[in-house]
């Protein structure tokens, strides 16, 4: 069974601060996705990374896929209250046909004004 | 373009009953996946349907089943409900982009079993 771990579990910061959350596994994934989920809603896809070592930027968010495709990080610069939510990483197993995503438990981020 | 819709949004059932949840994917998306989300276990994959065929299945008991229709709409059924089935059930429709699946989630159906 492939598992994803995320750290930290909870994070509370002030508006304007920077932060990094991590997603780790002992397994290799063909791709990894990051989602943000707000209360009462389904997760919203932020980014997909496919190549080991890949870095993608989405405004103030920077995503990195580890060289070995076993881990990923999400860095937020100058966090805003609108960034508050549950951040989930999800990996697609390397030998999978179709999709069978494994989700991490999430990092719950609270950005205080 | 309309997003993924799920009905009903909220449901209360009694232990032992059965329930059917519905999901309408984004137009043109042929893959539909179902997930169960609970505070203790997080998001867990139930199954995926593509062109009316179950293509992948998670580690859930046979009480959980699903199907997909020719218009890609999907239903999932849970029989003999247990208290532990209380959860948010999420449906996601997908398309392939850049060698990976982009999943678009619906708002979920909140099931409470009493």
């Amino acid at each position: 069974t492939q598992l994803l771990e995320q750290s930290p579990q909870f994070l509370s910061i002030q508006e304007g601060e920077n932060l990094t959350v991590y997603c780790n596994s002992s397994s290799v994934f063909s791709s990894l996705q990051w989602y943000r989920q707000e209360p009462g809603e389904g997760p919203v896809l932020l980014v997909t990374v496919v190549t080991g070592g890949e870095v993608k930027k989405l405004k103030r968010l920077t995503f990195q896929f580890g060289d070995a495709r076993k881990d990923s990080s999400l860095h937020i610069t100058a966090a805003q209250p609108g960034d508050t939510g549950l951040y989930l990483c999800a990996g697609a197993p390397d030998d999978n046909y179709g999709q069978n995503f494994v989700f991490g438990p999430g990092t719950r981020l609270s950005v205080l004004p | 373009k309309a997003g993924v819709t799920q009905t009903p949004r909220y449901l209360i059932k009694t232990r032992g009953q059965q329930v059917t949840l519905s999901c309408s994917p984004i137009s043109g998306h042929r893959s539909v996946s179902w997930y169960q989300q609970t505070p203790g276990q997080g998001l867990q994959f139930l199954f995926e349907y593509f062109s009316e065929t179950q293509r992948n299945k998670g580690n859930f008991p046979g009480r959980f089943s699903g199907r997909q229709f020719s218009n890609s709409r999907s239903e999932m059924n849970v029989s003999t409900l247990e208290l532990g089935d209380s959860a948010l059930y999420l449906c996601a429709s997908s398309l392939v982009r850049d060698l990976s699946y982009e999943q678009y989630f619906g708002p979920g159906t909140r099931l409470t079993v009493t």
Side-chain angles (χ1 to χ4, degrees), chain B:
Chain B
K1 185 184 267 191
V4 177
T5 58
Q6 292 187 246
T7 57
R9 290 294 310 276
Y10 303 92
L11 203 51
I12 300 176
K13 288 287 189 177
T14 303
R15 193 171 44 185
Q17 289 185 314
Q18 74 162 11
V19 66
T20 299
L21 311 181
S22 181
C23 171
S24 292
I26 293 172
S27 177
H29 289 193
R30 294 165 63 189
S31 170
V32 174
S33 296
W34 289 89
Y35 292 84
Q36 181 195 68
Q37 187 174 31
T38 60
Q41 298 297 320
L43 255 162
Q44 293 186 286
F45 174 79
L46 281 157
F47 28 67
E48 180 217 0
Y49 285 87
F50 183 85
S51 294
E52 301 179 65
T53 301
Q54 187 180 87
R55 189 162 63 173
N56 283 289
K57 189 177 188 304
N59 296 321
F60 278 81
R63 299 186 297 107
F64 292 82
S65 63
R67 59 177 175 168
Q68 187 180 33
F69 302 95
S70 58
N71 62 359
S72 293
R73 190 177 70 85
S74 178
E75 290 181 345
M76 69 163 281
N77 183 277
V78 188
S79 63
T80 319
L81 284 166
E82 300 177 359
L83 296 179
D85 296 333
S86 294
L88 180 67
Y89 289 89
L90 292 161
C91 162
S93 74
S94 305
L95 64 96
V96 177
R97 195 196 301 275
D98 296 334
L99 304 178
S100 184
Y101 283 81
E102 289 191 352
Q103 297 189 95
Y104 296 85
F105 283 85
T109 293
R110 172 77 61 186
L111 172 64
T112 302
V113 181
T114 62

Side-chain angles (χ1 to χ4, degrees), chain A residues 17-31:
Chain A
E17 292 183 3
N18 301 332
L19 67 114
T20 302
V21 298
Y22 301 92
C23 175
N24 298 288
S25 176
S26 58
S27 303
V28 176
F29 292 97
S30 62
S31 66

